């Protein structure tokens, strides 16, 4: 099989399919990326991915190329994993996908099934089928199947092998059967649907999870005003099997490449068919303003932040990745800069990507300790284990004023109290040190 697009989804999918014994070629037009991958060096950070790529290159099951003829000659399955970035109106940009499909259709040499893993609006796979048939040889039979991905950055390999479901949307039973057979060694439940339902499942799933996050952030705001603890509220809610504990973590909001893009795309889809999606509008509005919650706490407790050193801990949108797309940490950095603070940032893996976004407007620290040295405030924006396990006594030793604004509610209150720190989380009762 061939994976078209050696980005995040394409690389993880290709490496995992190779691990299960398939012969996989990953194709991309970015020659620098392909050369890097041929050396066994993925251009993204994802736990376990480098080892999986190296193992399957050595076994002869995983190959990388920029050559269309090599990529599409004698392929049984072609997986489309091309990016669909959002346009200004929130709709996905399908131009990269169309270009990839046109190139692919001109080079296929046998009957095959094309699998769309790119996140696309309902009806797109029918367009893909039309694009293919307008370019391919009339003698070839090509079926199109929708098989959306549900990977979490930071645990994508685990999710591939231990997912909740594999969704296969197909108009042809034979094409759907072939893709189900392709995944037989993954031992993940398979859901068979029509193509448009498969396309919608991806958007509906991400929108619902985003709604849970915004919901608990609204509950957190109420908890602060009535003296409740949102962590305890979420724990009590999550024990209800109808609700579940996942995505009930209050904080500064969601980010990344999926939730922001997919919620906007679904909102655009709804508008296009004259349906007002009021719940989704509220979800997006809550998230857009959530990073301001921490800034408001800082203004309340510190007054002006001008010329004060602020340590920003974490830049990736979540732990386990170097992805800063739509990261609330980046939004927080820009807000602190706007307030006139001297911002010193630290992240275990996302510093290089952050520098592309923030430039020289912040100071990049080589360690947490360096970022915290003589700081007058610490802002936790990503709950990396290195950050959550950092000795609390060091805040007092290193900082000029040990004030912690926890945007991920990731520190333990009992330990905070023992170390006599000023600690201000979200939706929980904080601690004010008498020293401050």
């Amino acid at each position: 099989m061939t994976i078209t697009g050696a980005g995040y989804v394409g690389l993880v999918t290709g490496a995992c399919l190779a691990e299960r014994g398939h012969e996989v070629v990953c194709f991309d037009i970015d020659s620098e990326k392909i050369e890097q991958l041929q050396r066994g060096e993925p251009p993204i950070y994802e736990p376990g991915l480098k080892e999986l790529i190296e193992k399957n290159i050595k076994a002869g099951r995983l190959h990388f190329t920029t050559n269309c003829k090599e990529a599409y000659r004698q392929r049984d399955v072609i997986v489309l994993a091309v990016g669909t970035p959002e346009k200004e109106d929130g709709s996905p940009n399908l131009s990269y996908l169309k270009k990839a499909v046109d190139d692919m259709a001109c080079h296929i040499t046998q009957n095959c099934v094309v699998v769309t893993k790119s996140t696309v609006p309902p009806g797109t796979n029918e367009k893909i089928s039309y694009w293919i048939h307008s370019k391919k040889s009339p003698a070839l039979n090509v079926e199109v199947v929708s098989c959306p991905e549900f990977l979490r950055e930071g645990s994508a390999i685990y999710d591939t092998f231990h997912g909740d479901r594999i969704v296969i949307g197909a108009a042809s039973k034979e094409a759907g059967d072939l893709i189900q057979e392709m995944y037989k060694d993954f031992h993940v439940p398979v859901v068979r649907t029509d193509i448009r339902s498969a396309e919608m499942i991806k958007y509906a799933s991400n929108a619902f999870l985003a709604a849970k996050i915004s919901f608990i952030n609204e509950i957190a705001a109420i908890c602060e005003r009535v003296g409740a603890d949102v962590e305890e509220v979420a724990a009590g809610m999550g024990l209800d099997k109808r609700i579940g504990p996942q995505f009930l973590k209050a904080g500064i909001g969601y980010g990344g490449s999926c939730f922001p893009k997919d919620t906007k795309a679904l909102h655009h889809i709804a508008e296009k068919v004259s349906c007002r999606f009021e719940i989704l509008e509220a979800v997006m509005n809550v998230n857009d303003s959530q990073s301001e919650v921490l800034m408001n706490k800082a203004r309340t407790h510190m007054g002006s932040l001008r010329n004060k050193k602020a340590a920003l801990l974490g830049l990736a949108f979540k732990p386990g990745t170097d992805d800063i797309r739509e990261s609330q940490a980046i939004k927080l950095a820009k807000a602190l800069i706007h307030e006139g603070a001297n911002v010193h940032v630290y992240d275990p893996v996302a510093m290089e990507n952050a520098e592309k976004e923030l430039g020289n407007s912040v100071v990049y620290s080589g360690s947490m300790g360096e970022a915290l040295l003589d700081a007058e405030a610490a802002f936790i924006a990503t709950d990396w284990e290195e950050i959550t396990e950092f000795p609390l006594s060091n805040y007092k030793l290193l900082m000029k004023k040990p004030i912690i604004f926890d945007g991920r509610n990731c520190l333990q209150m009992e330990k905070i109290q023992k170390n006599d720190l000023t600690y201000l989380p979200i939706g929980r009762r904080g601690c004010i040190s008498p020293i401050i």
Side-chain angles (χ1 to χ4, degrees), residues 78-321:
I78 297 166
V79 178
L80 299 174
V82 180
T84 53
E86 68 180 80
K87 295 193 285 190
E88 286 187 13
D89 63 359
S91 65
N93 183 348
L94 302 179
S95 62
Y96 304 104
L97 181 62
K98 184 179 188 307
K99 176 67 166 62
V101 170
D102 287 347
D103 290 344
M104 174 264 291
C106 293
H107 289 91
I108 52 177
T109 59
Q110 67 177 52
N111 298 342
C112 61
V113 174
V114 173
V115 180
T116 306
K117 280 210 168 288
S118 302
T119 302
V120 294
T124 303
N125 278 279
E126 290 161 33
K127 291 181 182 178
I128 290 171
S129 182
Y130 173 78
W131 296 337
I132 292 170
H133 284 80
S134 66
K135 298 280 185 180
K136 73 173 181 65
S137 164
L140 298 178
N141 180 43
V142 180
E143 299 284 354
V144 177
V145 170
S146 176
C147 185
E149 56 84 18
F150 301 96
L151 306 179
R152 297 169 298 168
E153 292 189 45
S155 55
I157 292 170
Y158 178 87
D159 289 348
T160 302
F161 292 132
H162 306 90
D164 296 319
R165 76 291 202 199
I166 294 169
V167 175
I168 299 174
S172 156
K173 181 180 183 302
E174 292 74 20
D177 288 346
L178 177 64
I179 303 311
Q180 186 165 346
E181 175 72 12
M182 182 176 89
Y183 279 109
K184 70 175 183 178
D185 292 330
F186 286 69
H187 307 295
V188 175
V190 172
V191 177
R192 297 284 290 266
T193 73
D194 62 85
I195 291 177
R196 291 200 176 198
S197 295
E199 292 166 325
M200 268 298 290
I201 287 169
K202 171 63 185 253
Y203 284 113
S205 297
N206 279 353
F208 187 78
L209 296 175
K212 288 185 76 172
I213 294 170
S214 285
F215 178 86
I216 201 64
N217 281 333
E218 290 281 74
I219 292 295
I222 299 171
C223 284
E224 288 191 6
R225 288 161 177 77
V226 302
D229 185 322
V230 72
E231 296 283 295
E232 295 181 4
V233 172
M237 290 173 61
L239 290 172
D240 188 325
K241 293 177 183 177
R242 298 167 299 175
I243 298 172
Q246 296 87 0
F247 294 87
L248 288 179
K249 183 73 174 174
I252 53 174
Y254 59 77
S257 62
C258 290
F259 284 8
K261 181 170 76 77
D262 291 353
T263 50
K264 290 174 192 173
L266 183 55
H267 185 256
H268 184 269
I269 291 165
E271 282 187 328
K272 201 171 178 181
V273 294
S274 301
C275 288
R276 184 171 179 193
F277 204 154
E278 295 183 68
I279 291 176
L280 192 58
E281 289 174 11
V283 167
M284 294 188 294
N285 288 338
V286 168
N287 199 65
D288 285 343
S289 61
Q290 195 60 26
S291 64
E292 271 296 302
V293 171
L294 221 55
M295 286 301 301
N296 289 335
K297 289 177 183 289
R299 294 185 193 104
T300 298
H301 289 271
M302 297 181 64
S304 173
L305 295 169
R306 183 163 297 279
N307 296 324
K308 292 179 179 176
K309 179 178 176 180
L312 179 60
L313 307 176
L315 294 165
F317 85 93
K318 62 178 284 188
T321 179

Side-chain angles (χ1 to χ4, degrees), residues 22 51 132 148 251:
H22 298 291
E51 293 78 7
I132 292 170

